[in-house]
Amino acid sequence: MEYITLLDMASSLGYHLAMCGAETFRVEEAVLRTLHAYGQNAECFSIPNLLIITLNIPGGEPMTRIRRIGYHGNDMDGVEQYSNLSRRICAETPEPKVALQWVSDTAGRVKKYGICASLLGNFLGASGFCLFFGGSLPDTLLSGLLGILIGLVNRFTSRLHANPFFSTVAASYLMSLVAYLLNDMGICEAPNTVIIGALMILVPGLLITNAMRDVIFGDTNSGINRIVQVLLIAVAIAMGTAAAWSTAAYLLSPPSGLGTPFPGLAIELIASLIGCIGFSILFNVHGFGISFCVLGGMMTWAVYRLAGYLGCGVVLSNFWASFAASLFSECMARIRKYPAISYLVVSVFPLLPGAGIYYTMLYAVNGDMAAFASKGAETAAIAGSLAMGILLVSTAVRMWTIWKIEHSHRK
């Protein structure tokens, strides 16, 4: 057995999965499942920025591979491709050199959107959620253009190797300042709604979803690591928009104007469709997967509104909606043989508290500490309810999968 090549193959597979944004348990399971298919006793430990694999060689010294995981993005096609590759290697168990070559070849098969398509995703994501939060048609178009501005700022700062915290502060500051300037010129009617729509692009949806799933599956270290990253990005969003508000209040007339909350279920579903198409592009989802992600997002919001119609409060409505989104994602994962995260990360997006983060910051800047505490607590409660909805479904599916495997072994 070519142990070094086998270890290189497994570490390369786990590294690429982690860099694409896969959950911790998926990275570890893919590595261990692949090595066990070759009859090897192995151990694997993964956190968001580190992968360690140890191969216990019979009659020899253990061999260990350590890979540093750098900043990783939102590449759902990559997660799907490498997950499918893991299953293929387990089913065929080719020579380690051949399997290693398969891993290298897969990198070339992962689809990527070009800059124009990516900026279109920014435009659709921002404009869709501006309409979703009650923006007028002109404001919806402005929000889409500001979403493109965010995309350009992120690309520029990425080329300069700026850290995500600085990139988020810069993007949120410039975008918000332009919105306030347009409001002062009489072009933008509801700057707050325009900003919230564009800010949804900066909300770390994949980090939030993966943090929940990591904690659910017992990967507490990874979960806490991701939660800290989420909090830092939320602080960066708040800092950028707060600095823009202060600048605008000093140089311009005080920004004013809000959208109409809950513009109507039909408009909200159309807005969800537009926004989820945009975020499917930003999360690098391709083919029919986009249709299912959009369907999941619309269904999730319909469940939220139905729960509210039946008398549930905001927190409980978010719980049932996230429960439905998680159930839909798990079902689609088994029907299409793709990771559930590919569907969940977009389906749950209409529920993410981007508006809560913005208004919490706004109240703090204006010195309204009572409203700040109230909105902050509500935002935290919504995040907790989303985690609980996903937790229940994921835990139940996990238990059912383990029972099914053990039951088949007994036979």
Side-chain angles (χ1 to χ4, degrees):
M1 179 66 67
E2 303 173 35
Y3 293 111
I4 294 179
T5 306
L6 189 62
L7 196 54
D8 287 341
M9 180 271 293
S11 63
S12 181
L13 176 63
Y15 171 81
H16 285 295
L17 271 171
M19 287 296 293
C20 289
E23 313 96 304
T24 298
F25 80 90
R26 190 177 306 282
V27 174
E28 293 180 347
E29 283 188 357
V31 169
L32 293 176
R33 184 171 59 240
T34 302
L35 291 174
H36 290 166
Y38 286 88
Q40 301 303 311
N41 179 20
E43 297 175 10
C44 179
F45 174 76
S46 177
I47 54 177
N49 58 352
L50 184 68
L51 174 65
I52 303 175
I53 305 172
T54 298
L55 196 60
N56 298 311
I57 301 173
E61 293 292 327
M63 298 178 62
T64 298
R65 224 18 126 251
I66 300 176
R67 295 293 298 267
R68 174 76 165 82
I69 309 298
Y71 174 71
H72 38 279
N74 310 315
D75 190 350
M76 292 299 97
D77 188 66
V79 174
E80 293 180 357
Q81 294 270 12
Y82 286 108
S83 296
N84 291 336
L85 175 62
S86 174
R87 297 188 188 95
R88 181 187 176 192
I89 293 175
C90 291
E92 300 181 22
T93 57
E95 291 294 322
K97 286 184 179 179
V98 175
L100 180 59
Q101 185 60 46
W102 286 0
V103 176
S104 300
D105 293 342
T106 300
R109 289 197 299 270
V110 174
K111 301 174 184 177
K112 298 285 186 180
Y113 287 106
I115 181 171
C116 292
S118 297
L119 293 178
L120 175 62
N122 281 65
F123 178 85
L124 293 175
S127 60
F129 280 100
C130 178
L131 179 63
F132 183 86
F133 289 114
S136 64
L137 184 57
D139 282 352
T140 294
L141 296 177
L142 286 175
S143 185
L145 294 176
L146 292 179
I148 292 177
L149 175 61
I150 288 176
L152 293 174
V153 171
N154 284 339
R155 282 181 172 271
F156 177 74
T157 54
S158 177
R159 288 184 179 180
L160 298 179
H161 302 287
N163 63 71
F165 184 88
F166 176 81
S167 298
T168 303
V169 172
S172 58
Y173 174 79
L174 289 175
M175 178 273 299
S176 301
L177 189 60
V178 171
Y180 293 138
L181 176 62
L182 293 175
N183 176 248
D184 187 69
M185 296 169 62
I187 299 174
C188 177
E189 299 175 8
N192 291 337
T193 306
V194 170
I195 290 171
I196 290 169
L199 281 181
M200 291 297 287
I201 295 173
L202 296 174
V203 173
L206 184 60
L207 267 177
I208 294 172
T209 307
N210 278 349
M212 296 175 187
R213 290 171 69 84
D214 281 348
V215 172
I216 289 166
F217 289 110
D219 298 310
T220 308
N221 290 333
S222 294
I224 293 175
N225 186 306
R226 297 187 199 274
I227 289 172
V228 170
Q229 292 182 57
V230 169
L231 293 176
L232 285 175
I233 292 177
V235 169
I237 292 173
M239 286 180 60
T241 51
W245 173 274
S246 299
T247 303
Y250 180 75
L251 298 176
L252 312 170
S253 59
S256 62
L258 294 172
T260 304
F262 297 106
L265 182 59
I267 295 178
E268 291 163 15
L269 291 179
I270 293 172
S272 296
L273 184 149
I274 297 171
C276 288
I277 290 175
F279 281 100
S280 295
I281 295 173
L282 295 178
F283 287 120
N284 200 36
V285 180
H286 292 262
F288 285 112
I290 293 179
S291 301
F292 294 115
C293 288
V294 170
L295 177 63
M298 295 174 68
M299 180 211 65
T300 298
W301 188 250
V303 172
Y304 174 86
R305 290 302 304 272
L306 177 61
Y309 177 77
L310 295 176
C312 297
V314 173
V315 174
L316 194 55
S317 295
N318 275 280
F319 167 79
W320 286 118
S322 64
F323 183 93
S326 186
L327 184 62
F328 170 82
S329 302
E330 295 290 350
C331 291
M332 292 308 305
R334 277 138 189 85
I335 292 172
R336 302 197 69 224
K337 306 301 181 185
Y338 287 144
I341 189 67
S342 299
Y343 306 101
L344 180 61
V345 69
V346 177
S347 297
V348 80
F349 223 94
L351 304 176
L352 297 182
I357 295 173
Y358 176 77
Y359 283 117
T360 300
M361 173 282 306
L362 192 60
Y363 293 138
V365 171
N366 289 333
D368 190 346
M369 301 314 293
F372 164 76
S374 176
K375 196 64 178 179
E378 180 185 90
T379 302
I382 289 173
S385 68
L386 298 182
M388 288 299 299
I390 295 173
L391 182 150
L392 287 180
V393 175
S394 298
T395 302
V397 170
R398 183 83 165 183
M399 292 171 63
W400 177 79
T401 302
I402 294 174
W403 177 86
K404 185 178 179 182
I405 294 173
E406 292 179 350
H407 186 68
S408 63
H409 287 167
R410 292 194 191 103
K411 291 183 177 179

